[in-house]
Amino acid sequence: MFPKPVAVAAPNSLEFETRPLVKPTGFREYDARWWLGRPGDPKAPELNLMGVTALGLGLARLIVERGIPRDIVVGHDFREYSLAIKTALTAGLLAGGAKVHDIGLALSPMAYFAQFALDCQSVAMVTASHNENGWTGVKMGCERPLTFGPDEMARLRDIVLSGDFKGEGGGSYRYVENFPSRYADDLVEGHAIKRKLKVVAACGNGTAGPFAPDVLRRIGCEVIELDTNLDHSFPRYNPNPEDMEMLHAIRDAVLEHGADVGFGFDGDGDRCGIVDNEGREIFADKIGVMLARDLSSIYPNAQFVVDVKSTGLFMTDPVLNGRGARTDYWKTGHSYIKRRVNELSAIAGFEKSGHFFFNTPIGRGYDDGLMTAIAVAEMLDRNPEKSMADLYRDLPLTYGSPTMSPHCPDEVKYGVIDRVVAEIVAMHASGEPLAGQPIADIVTVNGVRVTAEDGTWGLVRASSNKPELVVVVESPVSEARKREMFEAVDTILRRNGEVGAYNQTL
């Protein structure tokens, strides 16, 4: 019998080497994330390699429970420890009877594509996505193209933490050689732009570096590479296209080289950030509106899905409304949006974080940062008389914030959000104003999105993958109104002593 996991184990101890360590909070809403630790770090690790093997055993058990074929794709992102994590995960999967198809170093969308190309229902992609070094995790699914949601994650957590493993015979291992070339060939098939575009491809020294520039060249772009060499120390900035540090580096490269657009890819390549030809960092929700306009010109009455962090323009934009486009606001998170796109047979889904989902006939419904870059390049190709900045200026003007994340421990963050939601709901019910105006609407599908009478809104929710909250504000009126909403929302947050400092703010 494999030992039952423990929630705490001190490094450099007998227990750490002989018992699986799995902190329960690592099982998040739709994927798994744990602090693995770094040399000399005072923060205690939340996972060890035996714990990863326990995760593999639990995942294999879950697949057997669901009566799904045991074939599973595994891959890993580029971090110093990711290959070791994948090896330990594979050991658990094999012990649980899984048939492992290892595609090696990969992007998350490459692993999702492998589910189709290798005829596997299940996937386990070792990645901490955009989280800083020291984090690890796994994105999982057993019903392509969907990834796990709360129900699957809860069952997996219960299996692993209880040590309810069952050794199954018949496990097997296969390494799939040269799989990245199959992914790239599929990605570029049928995509060739006629417009001469110079693009910056920024990868933050993460996993997308060996893949993104080649794909963009193959569709006809001239590519300026920025931080595309692999370096798991991430020497310039963390590969996260929602962070202003990365966006500013792209801006500088775009202006230096006179590029038409800049693309920034996150650590596992499923997200894409955009900078226009004038060096403006365009938040991904506005890129979503631009792409929705473009796609609705090709597919009339198109259905879109966006997350609650996204701009209100999806509902108010006269171009989208004139073309009969419909938009559904849904829970933030790649698994939630992916599932909602599938449920509604939407043509595409967009998240403010930069996850974009292209469904049939464009894609297979999963998020792919490289596919997003191709879609933007094709949008520019279909508008040869306009620059990226022109297309942005064509949108109605709104004043939006970046995604801002104050620290809040995993153990208490959902309780904090419950209190914040309750307070704002009570304010709405009693007619109490917020940010100097009556509350016109509240949406509580994911935290709370509160809208004032003039359309200015603020969102507060719990981060699904880090010990943080998430705050976003936007105003169709002015920069000043945007700041007033932020101050009002932040004042409510500060009534909770567990809320710490922001990672970035206005």
Side-chain angles (χ1 to χ4, degrees):
M1 284 289 292
F2 196 75
K4 180 180 176 180
V6 297
V8 178
N12 299 318
S13 69
L14 178 63
E15 185 180 36
F16 195 84
E17 291 299 312
T18 57
R19 293 295 299 271
L21 166 64
V22 183
K23 188 175 181 181
T25 53
F27 294 94
R28 299 174 186 271
E29 289 181 47
Y30 46 79
D31 55 26
R33 301 279 172 93
W34 286 278
W35 177 252
L36 192 65
R38 304 169 76 177
D41 196 321
K43 185 178 178 181
E46 301 173 350
L47 185 75
N48 63 8
L49 291 178
M50 285 189 72
V52 181
T53 298
L55 179 67
L57 277 161
L59 180 56
R61 167 75 190 276
L62 181 61
I63 290 170
V64 170
E65 272 189 1
R66 290 178 170 254
I68 297 165
R70 299 183 189 183
D71 296 83
I72 183 169
V73 172
V74 300
H76 69 281
D77 69 2
F78 186 75
R79 293 178 188 253
E80 185 178 11
Y81 42 80
S82 289
L83 179 56
I85 297 293
K86 186 183 72 177
T87 301
L89 180 73
T90 298
L93 288 167
L94 293 173
K99 300 179 184 296
V100 175
H101 301 257
D102 185 357
I103 61 172
L105 180 70
L107 306 174
S108 288
M110 195 182 297
Y112 303 149
F113 167 67
Q115 291 176 269
F116 293 88
L118 304 178
D119 194 22
C120 297
Q121 280 296 328
S122 300
V123 64
M125 175 66 195
V126 173
T127 178
S129 187
H130 63 277
N131 287 27
E132 298 86 354
N133 268 327
W135 286 92
T136 192
V138 188
K139 293 180 177 178
M140 295 164 281
C142 60
E143 185 186 354
R144 65 188 181 207
L146 307 180
T147 40
F148 283 171
D151 291 344
E152 295 91 346
M153 288 303 300
R155 178 56 186 148
L156 179 62
R157 178 198 62 214
D158 292 346
I159 293 171
V160 173
L161 297 183
S162 67
D164 188 16
F165 310 124
K166 288 186 179 179
E168 300 275 349
S172 63
Y173 176 86
R174 168 198 178 203
Y175 185 81
V176 185
E177 291 190 79
N178 302 316
F179 191 78
S181 63
R182 292 177 63 176
Y183 163 74
D185 289 346
D186 180 80
L187 202 55
V188 303
E189 184 178 358
H191 299 284
I193 62 171
K194 298 176 183 177
R195 181 176 177 178
K196 189 174 182 180
L197 290 177
K198 181 188 290 187
V199 306
V200 171
C203 302
N205 305 108
T207 321
F211 310 116
D214 176 61
V215 165
L216 291 168
R217 289 189 181 101
R218 288 179 63 181
I219 68 167
C221 295
E222 177 187 348
V223 179
I224 306 298
E225 297 190 26
L226 180 66
D227 305 317
T228 57
N229 59 303
L230 292 174
D231 186 339
H232 49 60
S233 70
F234 303 152
R236 292 196 62 203
Y237 46 79
N238 193 47
N240 180 4
E242 230 180 344
D243 284 353
M244 299 309 295
E245 189 174 7
M246 183 176 191
L247 290 170
H248 288 165
I250 301 170
R251 173 200 65 194
D252 295 343
V254 165
L255 295 176
E256 178 185 352
H257 295 279
D260 296 289
V261 64
F263 299 119
F265 303 99
D266 75 335
D268 64 330
D270 58 7
R271 297 164 58 218
C272 182
I274 308 289
V275 173
D276 72 16
N277 54 296
E278 295 177 359
R280 181 186 295 107
E281 301 98 351
I282 307 178
F283 296 137
D285 54 345
K286 296 290 184 68
I287 296 295
V289 177
M290 295 159 72
L291 287 171
R293 281 183 163 196
D294 182 55
L295 293 174
S296 64
S297 71
I298 304 169
Y299 306 99
N301 303 311
Q303 172 75 62
F304 300 103
V305 176
V306 301
D307 76 322
V308 293
K309 287 163 56 180
S310 293
T311 176
L313 286 178
F314 284 102
M315 296 296 287
T316 61
D317 179 52
V319 172
L320 292 179
N321 290 333
R323 291 174 179 164
R326 292 160 293 136
T327 300
D328 183 68
Y329 281 81
W330 198 240
K331 298 177 183 179
T332 293
H334 68 90
S335 283
Y336 292 129
I337 301 297
K338 204 170 337 194
R339 192 171 296 268
R340 192 65 169 169
V341 166
N342 184 269
E343 288 173 354
L344 298 181
S345 298
I347 192 72
F350 309 112
E351 276 196 280
K352 186 179 173 67
S353 63
H355 286 276
F356 291 171
F357 310 78
F358 297 96
N359 207 0
T360 305
I362 304 168
R364 295 181 178 86
Y366 53 77
D367 38 339
D368 188 332
L370 276 64
M371 183 68 236
T372 302
I374 292 173
V376 170
E378 290 182 329
M379 176 178 68
L380 288 168
D381 196 37
R382 284 190 281 267
N383 294 272
E385 77 289 352
K386 292 196 173 185
S387 68
M388 194 73 191
D390 291 333
L391 292 173
Y392 178 72
R393 278 190 287 268
D394 285 345
L395 299 180
L397 181 62
T398 67
Y399 304 85
S401 76
T403 298
M404 302 171 287
S405 298
H407 180 80
C408 191
D410 285 320
E411 295 83 353
V412 300
K413 65 186 181 184
Y414 291 103
V416 169
I417 290 300
D418 287 344
R419 292 195 293 273
V420 170
V421 171
E423 182 171 347
I424 292 175
V425 168
M427 291 173 67
H428 185 219
S430 66
E432 184 179 346
L434 181 71
Q437 288 199 1
I439 296 173
D441 184 54
I442 56 173
V443 177
T444 57
V445 69
N446 189 201
V448 60
R449 176 168 167 150
V450 55
T451 304
E453 200 170 57
D454 65 356
T456 301
W457 60 268
L459 169 81
V460 186
R461 57 178 289 273
S463 169
S464 300
N465 47 43
K466 293 182 74 175
E468 294 176 342
L469 305 180
V470 173
V471 177
V472 179
V473 294
E474 182 188 55
S475 176
V477 179
S478 67
E479 183 77 19
R481 283 292 294 144
K482 177 187 78 174
R483 291 183 176 275
E484 287 173 8
M485 179 58 75
F486 171 70
E487 289 167 5
V489 168
D490 186 60
T491 296
I492 293 173
L493 275 181
R494 294 299 153 191
R495 292 179 188 138
N496 299 272
E498 305 96 330
V499 180
Y502 284 86
N503 64 335
Q504 58 185 358
T505 189
L506 299 181

